[in-house]
């Protein structure tokens, strides 16, 4: 009997559309659903930041160094009550964290999308053409993966200067290699299947086969890995900013806020580093939890 | 019990035990925690503050700088100049080295030779003074004559950096200043290792070397043959503790008697504690904004009329008027800095005794901007290091706030010093933060290197990245650096300083302060050259 029921359950699961399975998989897991809700709230806060924050932390004229290093809950000369305190420049920490979230999400998403695009194209070309193209592209990938990503990004930023756009470029250049490797593996499997053989025999143009047959059928696993990589892109941005080569000091991201507050920890002014730290942990952890659940649902192995 | 290893765990226990044993007599060993470790015992190895400070314990020089960097006689009792190139130094009699060898003019000549036979050195700057020597002769055992190639009124200042070695550390015949015959030295010249293991570390300083263990500790003991007043400490231990937190915790725990460079913001924790005390001493390190005044088009300025507004003196004065130096010092530096109204602190040679205060007046600043044709301001980017000077990038951000308030749209480009210095040398900035500390104790050093129109033959203007060029100023500084008469030179330097302040191509912000924290039963004298010395520490009477 029990065996029958299990078989039945498995068949039922197999018959449900994949999308529904994934959604159910997330909803049934308290950690995953909690992470999804947290991400939704953080994204919403980031989007609404210019409307809901009491201060524009990027506008130097609205800051006052007279209000610097106030404890959470104190009211400054500008009349604003700083619920999370202020940093050394008199920046409202709450406003700075919400604006920092915007930067982190913007950098994480655009850098991942860019890396995904470059990596997918490279992976597809390598898989389809094989031979010299494959060898050349994969040696470049090996070369890129051989370096610690933080080192490559540091060298890049040291030479091209700082700024949000440059951080995005640096992270893209660091991360595209893993997508290329993954895409190539997936595409190689697909390419051996009959429908591609058929398409080739029909004499369809290569561009058509690549874009409409190979790409849609291989990209699933890559997308899942990308969802986890958003978190690592955000962490990389935070690390670069913490090291002082990321975003400009007048437009702090979460990493730079933590770096700024780090030196005040021993002096007892914990709020400058701790609150942005909590925001960053929350964001990265939620993205990781959700990405991990997605990965398991699709049964994809990471690069 | 209270060793550095167990600070975090037993700090509290240590505090308790000190509390209980309070009032006990001073142990004769003085323990000093350093924020930067000397890289060698060899005094001619590397010209950096920690090494030079260590050298003053073991060696003496002909002339010494006191805590305010004023010259004092040391191994030379008197010196005089004939108004041109000939100097005569009368040496102190009855001085002997820590190995018993008597001190004579030969030791000085040997030292000058060694500066040029110094294979293991890291920096060449100790040898620079001898490059200007035509001849050095021992008139008798205690009289030395130096003939220079170019007139050099600051020769005694430069000689105050040169620690005198003993010729007895090498086998030698008759010592003469003749490098062609190796000055009479018959054996190999001493290298850095001979000093670090103690064999060549023979000096006439107040202490002698007991042991030097790199990364761990430098142990000194009192030199009984020292020519000056005997030191109160039988032994001194210099411990490198480079992290600010552990160094401060070590003082609280009783592991160290004196620590250098605690963070100013941490001082609140010992301000009301009777067991500890601290001293804040203005240093000779000035923090200055260097404006690009030399070019019609400057890379990081954008104005509506397409010109470089920094070329207008009214704009430069407006930028200075917009900065509230007192607030920056109070809120960002925690009070451990002094507002700068000129380029070296009052009291140093050639400075103005009463410089006019550079006031904070945003209304006057806006008015000047409007007069200059920029009522709506312009765009500018200020470049700064973020790891070189105390709170460097924070200071520049505050300046940016102030400039934003008078309508000048200001951005900050902060970067590590390894990237910053090469870019500044290529003149990629329009406004650059500069930190300058004087080693000679004279304001002429800043003026000639930073503000003079560049001239390689005279070694002036090498750091004039803003392209400042003023005929009046150049005439004054060129005359000052070859003027022997102190009063006259001082007047020339003061006039040059006034000219430079009138032109405001350099906006002085403040002088960094050095801080020492120590146990309350000690008295510590702070030095403007930022040297940490056991000689500056005495038991409180």
């Amino acid at each position: 009997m029990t065996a029958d029921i299990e078989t039945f359950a498995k068949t039922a699961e197999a018959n449900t559309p994949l999308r529904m399975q994934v959604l159910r998989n997330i909803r049934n897991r308290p950690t995953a659903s909690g992470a999804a809700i947290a991400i939704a709230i953080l994204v919403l806060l980031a989007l609404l930041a210019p409307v809901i924050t009491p201060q524009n932390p990027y506008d130097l004229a609205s800051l006052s160094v007279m209000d610097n290093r106030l404890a959470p809950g104190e009211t400054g000369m500008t009349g604003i009550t700083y619920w999370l305190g202020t940093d050394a420049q008199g920046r409202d920490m709450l406003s700075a964290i919400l604006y920092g979230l915007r930067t982190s999400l913007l950098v994480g998403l655009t850098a991942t999308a860019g890396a995904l695009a470059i990596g997918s194209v490279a992976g597809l070309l390598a898989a389809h053409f094989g031979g010299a193209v494959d060898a050349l592209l994969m040696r470049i990938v090996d070369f890129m993966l051989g370096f610690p990503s933080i080192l490559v990004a540091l060298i890049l930023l040291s030479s091209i200067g700082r700024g949000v756009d440059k951080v995005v470029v640096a992270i893209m250049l660091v991360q595209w290699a893993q997508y290329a490797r993954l895409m190539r593996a997936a595409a190689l499997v697909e390419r051996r299947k009959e429908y591609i053989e058929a398409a080739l025999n029909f004499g369809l143009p290569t561009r058509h086969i690549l874009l409409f047959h190979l790409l849609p059928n291989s990209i699933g696993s890559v997308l899942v890995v990308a969802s986890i990589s958003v978190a690592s892109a955000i962490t990389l941005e935070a690390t670069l900013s913490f090291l002082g080569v990321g975003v400009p000091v007048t437009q702090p991201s979460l990493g730079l806020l933590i770096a700024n507050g780090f030196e005040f920890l021993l002096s007892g002014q914990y709020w400058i580093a701790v609150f942005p730290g909590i925001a960053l942990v929350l964001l990265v952890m939620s993205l990781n939890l959700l990405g991990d659940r997605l990965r398991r649902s699709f049964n994809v192995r990471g690069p | 019990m209270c060793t550095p290893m167990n600070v975090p765990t037993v700090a509290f226990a240590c505090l308790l035990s000190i509390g209980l044993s309070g009032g006990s007599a001073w142990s004769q060993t003085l323990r000093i925690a350093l924020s930067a470790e000397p890289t060698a015992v060899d005094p001619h190895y590397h010209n950096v503050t920690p090494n030079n400070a260590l050298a003053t314990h073991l060696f003496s020089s002909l002339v010494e700088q006191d805590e305010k960097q004023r010259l004092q006689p040391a191994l030379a009792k008197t010196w005089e100049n004939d108004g041109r190139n000939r100097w005569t130094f009368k040496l102190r009699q009855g001085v002997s080295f820590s190995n018993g060898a008597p001190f004579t003019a030969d030791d000085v000549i040997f030292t000058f030779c060694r500066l040029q036979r110094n294979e293991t050195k890291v920096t060449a700057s100790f040898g620079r003074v001898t490059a200007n020597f035509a001849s050095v002769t021992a008139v008798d055992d205690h009289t030395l004559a130096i003939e220079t190639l170019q007139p050099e009124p600051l020769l005694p200042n430069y000689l105050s950096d040169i620690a005198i070695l003993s010729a007895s550390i090498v086998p030698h015949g008759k010592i003469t200043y003749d490098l062609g015959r190796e000055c009479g030295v018959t054996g190999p010249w001493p290298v850095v290792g001979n000093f670090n293991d103690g064999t060549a570390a023979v000096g006439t300083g107040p202490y002698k070397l007991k042991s030097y263990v790199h990364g761990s500790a430098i142990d000194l003991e009192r030199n009984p043959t020292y020519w000056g007043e005997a030191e109160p400490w039988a032994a001194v231990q210099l411990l490198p503790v480079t992290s600010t937190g552990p160094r401060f915790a070590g003082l609280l725990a009783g592991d160290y008697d004196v620590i250098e460079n605690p963070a100013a913001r941490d001082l609140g924790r010992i301000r009301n504690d009777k067991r500890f005390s601290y001293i804040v001493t203005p240093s000779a390190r000035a923090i200055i904004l260097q404006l690009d005044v030399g070019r019609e088009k400057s890379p990081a300025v954008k104005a509506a009329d397409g010109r470089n507004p920094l070329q207008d003196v009214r704009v430069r004065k407006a930028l200075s008027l917009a900065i509230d130096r007192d607030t920056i010092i109070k809120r960002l530096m925690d009070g451990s800095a002094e507002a700068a109204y000129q380029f070296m602190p009052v009291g140093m040679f050639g400075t103005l005794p009463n410089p006019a205060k550079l006031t904070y007046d945003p209304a006057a600043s806006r008015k000047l901007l409007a007069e200059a044709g920029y009522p709506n301001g312009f765009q500018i980017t200020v470049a700064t290091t973020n790891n070189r000077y105390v709170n460097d990038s924070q200071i520049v951000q505050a300046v940016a706030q102030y400039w934003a308030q008078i309508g000048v749209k200001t951005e900050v480009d902060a970067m590590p010093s390894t990237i910053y210095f090469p870019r500044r040398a290529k003149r990629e900035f329009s406004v650059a933060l500069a930190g300058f500390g004087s080693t000679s104790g004279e304001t002429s050093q800043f003026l000639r290197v930073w503000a003079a129109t560049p001239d390689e033959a005279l070694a002036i203007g090498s750091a004039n990245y803003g392209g400042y060029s003023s005929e009046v100023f150049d005439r004054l500084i060129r005359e000052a650096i070859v003027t022997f008469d102190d009063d006259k030179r001082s007047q020339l330097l003061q006039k040059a300083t006034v000219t430079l302040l009138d032109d405001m191509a350099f906006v002085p912000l403040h002088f960094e302060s050095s801080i020492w924290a120590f146990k309350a039963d000690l008295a510590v004298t702070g030095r403007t050259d930022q040297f940490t010395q056991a000689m500056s520490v005495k038991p409180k009477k």
Side-chain angles (χ1 to χ4, degrees), chain A residues 6 30 46 62 74 78 81 104 120 132 134-135 146 179 196 223 234 253 303:
Chain A
E6 265 177 28
S62 73
E74 282 188 44
T78 45
T81 304
S104 294
S120 301
D134 186 22
Y179 298 114
I196 302 283
L223 279 177
I234 289 174
S253 65

Side-chain angles (χ1 to χ4, degrees), chain B residues 296-422:
Chain B
E296 304 262 317
K297 292 252 181 240
S298 192
V301 183
K302 226 189 275 170
D305 61 2
R307 288 188 301 146
N308 173 8
L310 297 176
Q311 290 197 311
D312 189 321
V313 68
R314 289 170 295 188
V315 172
R316 303 199 290 266
K317 290 204 161 142
L319 292 178
S320 173
L321 279 168
I323 302 169
D324 185 351
R325 292 169 176 77
D326 295 337
T327 299
I328 290 180
I329 290 166
K330 195 168 141 222
R331 306 295 307 196
L332 285 178
M333 306 297 288
D334 296 275
S336 73
E338 239 172 56
Y341 306 135
Q342 58 182 333
F343 306 99
M344 281 287 119
V346 173
M348 293 200 88
F349 190 89
T351 54
L352 305 173
N354 290 305
K357 188 179 169 173
L358 297 173
T359 47
Y360 169 54
D361 191 341
S365 170
R366 274 192 216 96
K367 206 166 144 241
L368 270 176
L369 265 191
E371 268 175 38
Y374 303 96
N376 300 316
F378 48 89
Q379 280 185 44
I380 198 163
T381 303
V382 187
T384 175
T385 52
N386 57 13
N387 60 355
R388 179 68 184 86
Y389 311 110
V390 180
N391 296 332
D392 39 13
S393 84
Q394 297 283 3
I395 294 161
V396 172
Q397 287 179 65
V399 167
Q401 275 189 28
Y402 285 123
W403 287 359
Q405 277 153 17
I406 56 161
V408 175
K409 198 169 172 300
T410 312
E411 283 182 44
V412 177
D413 192 4
M415 65 204 86
S417 52
T418 44
I419 301 174
Y420 178 83
F421 289 129

Side-chain angles (χ1 to χ4, degrees), chain A residues 60-61 63-70 88-89 91 158 162 243-245 248-250 260 263-264 266-267 269, chain B residues 245 265-266 269 327 331-332 334 386 391 393-395 397-398 400-402 404-405 410 412-416 419:
Chain A
L60 287 174
L63 308 183
S64 169
V65 77
M66 293 297 284
D67 276 358
N68 76 341
R69 287 187 273 156
L70 294 180
Q89 289 295 319
R91 228 177 250 116
S158 309
R162 51 199 299 165
L243 294 174
V245 293
V249 280
T250 45
N260 287 342
E263 50 190 296
F264 299 105
L266 237 181
S267 321
Q269 284 134 2
Chain B
R265 54 182 173 271
D266 289 344
R269 291 174 64 164
T327 299
R331 306 295 307 196
L332 285 178
D334 296 275
N386 57 13
N391 296 332
S393 84
Q394 297 283 3
I395 294 161
Q397 287 179 65
Q401 275 189 28
Y402 285 123
Q405 277 153 17
T410 312
V412 177
D413 192 4
M415 65 204 86
I419 301 174

Side-chain angles (χ1 to χ4, degrees), chain A residues 18-295:
Chain A
L18 188 62
R19 203 180 302 143
M20 296 304 289
Q21 267 184 54
V22 171
L23 274 181
R24 197 174 62 203
N25 223 333
I26 290 172
R27 213 180 302 137
N28 288 348
R29 298 282 169 155
T31 46
S33 53
I37 294 169
I39 291 171
I41 294 176
L42 290 174
V43 169
L44 203 66
L45 283 174
L47 285 176
L48 292 177
V51 188
I52 55 176
T53 53
Q55 187 190 63
N56 177 359
Y58 295 169
D59 176 15
L60 287 174
S62 73
L63 308 183
S64 169
V65 77
M66 293 297 284
D67 276 358
N68 76 341
R69 287 187 273 156
L70 294 180
E74 282 188 44
T75 304
M77 301 207 339
T78 45
I80 303 172
T81 304
Y82 302 108
W83 292 111
L84 297 184
T86 60
D87 73 358
Q89 289 295 319
R91 228 177 250 116
D92 174 36
M93 286 312 293
L94 181 66
S95 310
I97 289 169
L98 294 188
Y99 272 78
L101 267 178
R102 276 165 81 88
T103 312
S104 294
L105 283 167
L106 181 78
V107 169
L109 292 173
T110 48
T112 306
L116 188 72
I118 303 175
S120 301
V121 171
L124 272 182
L125 292 177
H128 186 77
F129 293 106
V133 177
D134 186 22
L136 178 72
L137 282 170
M138 285 306 114
R139 290 307 77 75
I140 296 175
V141 166
D142 286 340
F143 183 75
M144 292 301 292
L145 291 177
F147 281 107
S149 52
I150 184 73
L151 188 69
V152 178
L154 265 176
I155 294 169
L156 272 171
L157 284 173
S158 309
S159 49
I160 61 178
R162 51 199 299 165
V164 175
D165 47 343
K166 283 158 188 159
V167 174
V168 169
V169 170
I171 298 178
M172 254 163 50
L173 288 178
V174 163
Q175 290 201 332
W176 71 272
Q178 53 167 338
Y179 298 114
R181 168 72 47 89
L182 209 65
M183 192 65 176
R184 175 178 171 273
L188 274 181
V189 173
E190 287 299 317
R191 211 179 164 278
R192 271 186 231 114
K193 292 193 177 158
E194 284 93 348
Y195 72 95
I196 302 283
E197 294 272 330
L200 282 171
N201 287 340
F202 270 129
L204 287 178
T206 313
R207 192 164 44 113
H208 186 90
I209 297 176
L210 280 177
L211 276 180
F212 298 105
H213 297 269
L214 216 43
L215 180 68
N217 288 301
S218 333
I219 203 156
S221 56
V222 181
L223 279 177
V224 172
V225 170
S227 72
I228 302 175
S229 294
V230 173
S232 70
I234 289 174
T235 317
L236 191 55
E237 182 278 321
T239 312
L240 290 169
S241 296
F242 185 87
L243 294 174
V245 293
V247 296
V249 280
T250 45
Q251 293 171 26
S253 65
L254 291 176
L256 189 57
L257 285 173
I258 296 170
N260 287 342
F262 178 66
E263 50 190 296
F264 299 105
L265 275 178
L266 237 181
S267 321
Q269 284 134 2
Y270 64 90
W271 58 89
I272 308 175
V274 168
F275 291 135
I278 292 173
L280 185 65
V281 168
L282 207 63
L283 179 64
V284 171
M285 201 174 66
S286 306
L287 282 168
N288 271 334
L289 284 174
L290 192 67
D292 195 49
R293 180 73 2 223
L294 280 177
R295 186 179 63 77

